[in-house]
Amino acid sequence: MPAAINVKICGLTESADVPAAILAGARYLGFNFFEKSPRYLAPADAAFLAGAVPEGICKVALTVNADNAFLDALVGVVPLDMLQLHGAESVERVREIKARYGLPVMKVVGVAASEDLAALDEYGTVADQLLVDAKPPKGAVLPGGNGLTFDWRLIAGRRWPVPWMLAGGLTPQNVAEAIAMTGARQVDVASGVESAPGVKDADLMAAFCAAALSDGVV
């Protein structure tokens, strides 16, 4: 019997998003602290949303090239379970953040071609989890959440030393195919469950989780 699929819904911005995502079946909830994103959430607002998350659901902070001053303030305000590094953080920086904050770290790696895969092996030696995302196009403002997929055949059957999560343009319509093709047991979605940029849709979240969990054990 295959292991259950874990779903991460990222970029929650409204208080109603939290119970809707949990009811849909999400095991990870992501809060976005990148100010240029339509999903940006101020730390004080995130603290309010995170306070409503029950035990057993992982609260993840998405940050981009954040310095220690920002992270110090963030973890001092928001009750977090994991830090997601979505920028150009080096292996050394990942190691430093893990040691400084004592929280599991998920490192995002953008993939567009086979030459991008080496970074997954490298970060897999220090991060607690990997998030395999579509590489943003040149000049893109956002490092993720662009609604883009990549060629899933590039990672079909590949494994790394730590758990990993598939992201990049996933929707209720394509997530089952993505899981079947890559063997992913964890998937991440942001724009694919929105009615408008930054606006989560409860029905889309439910449909996404239903499609992702259809071949796993809920």
Side-chain angles (χ1 to χ4, degrees):
M1 183 177 292
I5 302 293
N6 289 325
V7 174
K8 175 172 173 282
I9 298 181
C10 196
L12 306 181
T13 59
E14 301 291 339
S15 57
D17 294 343
V18 170
I22 294 171
L23 183 63
R27 303 296 297 172
Y28 296 79
L29 302 184
F31 303 106
N32 188 323
F33 299 102
F34 183 54
E35 290 191 1
K36 295 180 180 180
S37 172
R39 303 167 192 94
Y40 170 74
L41 199 61
D45 294 329
F48 176 75
L49 266 62
V53 178
E55 290 291 326
I57 304 295
C58 186
K59 303 178 294 293
V60 184
L62 185 162
T63 66
V64 179
N65 300 323
D67 59 19
N68 288 347
F70 179 87
L71 292 175
D72 287 350
L74 182 65
V75 301
V77 171
V78 186
L80 296 167
D81 300 309
M82 180 177 287
L83 296 172
Q84 176 179 325
L85 308 183
H86 215 307
E89 300 88 358
S90 66
V91 168
E92 292 72 23
R93 178 61 174 153
V94 173
R95 188 179 289 115
E96 177 189 354
I97 288 172
K98 283 184 60 174
R100 184 179 179 91
Y101 300 103
L103 289 170
V105 171
M106 177 186 290
K107 181 66 182 88
V108 182
V109 176
V111 171
S114 58
E115 54 263 31
D116 298 318
L117 300 178
L120 288 163
D121 295 319
E122 187 177 11
Y123 284 109
T125 65
V126 292
D128 297 283
Q129 293 206 39
L130 297 169
L131 191 149
V132 188
D133 199 1
K135 196 172 188 176
K138 288 186 178 181
V141 173
L142 303 180
N146 293 296
L148 300 174
T149 60
F150 65 95
D151 186 351
W152 298 322
R153 292 172 295 183
L154 290 170
I155 62 167
R158 292 181 66 96
R159 297 294 178 268
W160 295 278
V162 294
W164 64 281
M165 188 174 288
L166 179 66
L170 298 179
T171 68
Q173 291 73 37
N174 68 11
V175 65
E177 179 187 1
I179 290 169
M181 185 174 293
T182 63
R185 309 314 294 171
Q186 301 194 114
V187 290
D188 174 277
V189 64
S191 62
V193 291
E194 292 178 346
S195 58
V199 181
K200 291 294 184 288
D201 183 289
D203 290 338
L204 290 175
M205 288 192 283
F208 183 90
C209 290
L213 298 170
S214 62
D215 77 337
V217 179
V218 183

